[in-house]
Structures are given as C-alpha cells and as structure tokens.
C-alpha cells in the first residue's frame, strides 16, 4: 500500500483566495464605519454648538434677570443682547451678539466704549437672531451649519 502525499495547487489557492476576500471586506467595512463615524461626529458637533449656545444665553439671562437689566440693542445693523450686572461697587455689561459666523460675547465695565470686533467666540453657527416678542419675552433663533433650526423663549422679570 502506497500513500502518496500530493498537494495540488488548488489546495493552496482556495484558502488564500478566501483569506484575501475576507481581509478586503474587513478593510472596506472599517473604512465605511470610519466615514459614518466622522459624519455623525461632525453633525453632533454642530448640533451641540447650536443647542449649547442657546442654553448659555438662557443661563446668562437667568443669572442676571432683574428689572431693567436685560435689553436688546441695535448697533451697526446687529441685534445685541446687553445684560447689565453689578459686582461689589462696579457695574458691568455683557454683550451677546452674532458676527462673522460666531455667537460672540463681550464683557466690559460700565462706561467703556464697546468695540464688537473684539468679542470672545462662544459657538460657530450659521445664523443667530433675537427679538423682543412681547413686553417681557425674548425669543432666540439659532441655525447650525447643517441647517437645523433651534428656538428658545425666555421670560423676563
């Protein structure tokens, strides 16, 4: 009885082909998952910026919501939210406005001339607007870079 150990070329080629197909599919799936993750992350970033900026403005107003401390001004064709507050003996103004694709904030001592080119960036958004909808109601509208619109209404004292 003679046993011959013959290995055919197909015995080598078939497992190698299966391995290459598996490896190729794994790489394609990883690349697709990476793109999906990046897009989700980018959308989440813009949505969070818009929502958090409205929450930030709301909290600023709630911290200083006293009679006559909150006003909307119109300067240089911009609506500007002015929040007045006192610390110890001094009075300060916080200005919140939209310029150059950002919601910005400028904090100044009372009496200092405001230059709205030097505000601190709060959040990048496509659009931000505010209006006094009633005697004691402020409405804020924000559109993120994906076109999603957010809105909040705040009651004043």
């Amino acid at each position: 009885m003679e046993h011959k150990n013959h290995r055919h070329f197909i015995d080598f080629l078939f497992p190698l082909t299966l391995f290459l197909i598996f490896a190729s599919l794994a790489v394609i799936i990883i690349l697709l998952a990476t793109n999906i993750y990046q897009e989700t992350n980018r959308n989440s970033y813009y949505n969070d910026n818009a929502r958090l900026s409205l929450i930030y403005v709301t909290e600023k107003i709630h911290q200083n919501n006293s009679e006559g401390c909150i006003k909307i001004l119109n300067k240089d064709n911009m609506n500007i939210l002015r929040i007045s507050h006192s610390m110890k003996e001094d009075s300060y103004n916080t200005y919140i406005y939209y310029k150059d694709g950002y919601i910005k904030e400028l904090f100044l001592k009372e009496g200092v001339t405001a230059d709205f080119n030097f505000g601190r960036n709060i959040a990048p958004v496509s659009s931000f607007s505010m209006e006094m909808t009633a005697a004691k109601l402020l409405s804020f509208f924000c559109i993120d870079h994906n076109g999603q619109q957010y809105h909040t209404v705040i009651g004043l004292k």
Side-chain angles (χ1 to χ4, degrees):
M1 253 198 201
E2 218 175 281
H3 257 348
K4 288 188 178 179
N5 256 347
H6 282 289
R7 291 194 57 103
H8 296 281
F9 184 66
I10 194 74
D11 291 340
F12 172 74
L13 188 60
F14 183 70
L16 180 64
T17 304
L18 284 177
F19 174 75
L20 290 176
I21 290 172
F22 175 75
S24 300
L25 289 175
V27 168
I28 289 170
I29 289 171
I30 290 171
L31 291 175
L32 288 173
T34 301
N35 288 338
I36 291 169
Y37 175 77
Q38 287 175 342
E39 185 66 25
T40 302
N41 195 26
R42 186 175 21 259
N43 288 340
S44 176
Y45 172 77
Y46 289 128
N47 291 340
D48 288 348
N49 275 337
R51 280 195 312 262
L52 289 175
S53 62
L54 288 178
I55 292 169
Y56 180 80
V57 171
T58 301
E59 284 304 311
K60 280 288 202 182
I61 291 171
H62 286 166
Q63 289 172 356
N64 301 289
N65 194 355
S66 300
E67 185 70 35
C69 290
I70 313 291
K71 291 192 176 160
I72 294 180
L73 311 172
N74 192 318
K75 291 185 180 178
D76 302 328
N77 293 324
M78 290 188 301
N79 281 338
I80 301 166
L81 178 68
R82 185 188 74 196
I83 303 170
S84 301
H85 43 95
S86 297
M87 288 194 226
K88 299 183 181 176
E89 297 91 35
D90 294 324
S91 294
Y92 297 90
N93 290 320
T94 299
Y95 300 96
I96 297 176
Y97 55 97
Y98 177 75
K99 187 170 183 167
D100 299 330
Y102 286 91
I103 297 173
K104 296 183 173 247
E105 177 182 52
L106 186 61
F107 181 77
L108 297 171
K109 189 172 183 176
E110 182 75 36
V112 174
T113 304
D115 185 351
F116 297 108
N117 293 315
F118 296 107
R120 182 176 57 97
N121 294 343
I122 295 175
V125 294
S126 291
S127 174
F128 179 74
S129 62
M130 62 190 89
E131 65 181 359
M132 186 75 78
T133 56
K136 300 270 183 184
L137 281 178
L138 287 172
S139 287
F140 294 91
F141 300 91
C142 184
I143 300 175
D144 66 17
H145 288 289
N146 294 325
Q148 184 70 35
Q149 183 174 0
Y150 299 92
H151 174 249
T152 190
V153 177
I154 303 168
L156 301 177
K157 288 184 181 177

